[in-house]
Amino acid sequence: ITLVNQVKASKFLSGILQPVANAFVNASGYRKLGLRYDDVLREETDIIREAVNRLPDNEGYERVYRMKVAFQYSLSHTIATKENTLKPEDDIRYLTPVIDEVAAEFAEKEDFNNIK
């Protein structure tokens, strides 16, 4: 059950919840390390692992580079400078569409395997 579409359709609800969402994203700090939202998704499930494997080569290389840079910031106990901090308009969901596609394929395969 998701209320995302109803919240986006309602100006009142989106006006209330958008500042809360922005505060949560800023508090999480992944943008201060130069990461995108999809970079912080854990690769512990088969669906996400498969989605990462399906990324185009250049997007995969950029993902690995961002993670290495963020790891270096973490090791040095610093954050990115203002120029290197990821801006909200650059935080693009590049992996989420692939995850949705893989999840649909896995569900279809599971349904096909359970036909009696």
Side-chain angles (χ1 to χ4, degrees):
I1 299 174
T2 180
L3 299 174
V4 173
N5 294 331
Q6 288 83 2
V7 170
K8 286 183 179 180
S10 170
K11 288 186 179 187
F12 176 73
L13 287 176
S14 63
I16 291 173
L17 295 177
Q18 191 63 41
V20 174
N22 291 339
F24 178 76
V25 168
N26 290 332
S28 66
Y30 66 87
R31 288 182 182 163
K32 294 177 184 174
L33 298 175
L35 294 172
R36 292 182 180 173
Y37 174 79
D38 286 345
D39 293 335
V40 298
L41 296 176
R42 297 195 280 172
E43 297 179 33
E44 293 180 353
T45 65
D46 293 335
I47 293 173
I48 295 180
R49 259 187 250 124
E50 180 63 28
V52 169
N53 287 338
R54 290 186 186 187
L55 284 175
D57 287 339
N58 62 339
E59 193 67 51
Y61 295 142
E62 290 174 6
R63 175 185 168 91
V64 170
Y65 176 75
R66 286 190 302 270
M67 290 179 154
K68 286 183 177 186
V69 169
F71 186 67
Q72 185 62 38
Y73 284 134
S74 178
L75 284 177
S76 63
H77 299 287
T78 60
I79 58 174
T81 60
K82 285 278 190 188
E83 297 82 33
N84 294 336
T85 300
L86 191 71
K87 295 169 185 56
E89 57 270 8
D90 295 333
D91 193 3
I92 301 167
R93 302 280 176 100
Y94 65 94
L95 188 59
T96 304
V98 182
I99 291 172
D100 294 341
E101 177 183 311
V102 171
E105 288 177 12
F106 277 33
E108 182 180 354
K109 182 178 179 182
E110 185 67 28
D111 291 343
F112 184 73
N113 288 338
N114 290 330
I115 293 177
K116 292 185 179 183

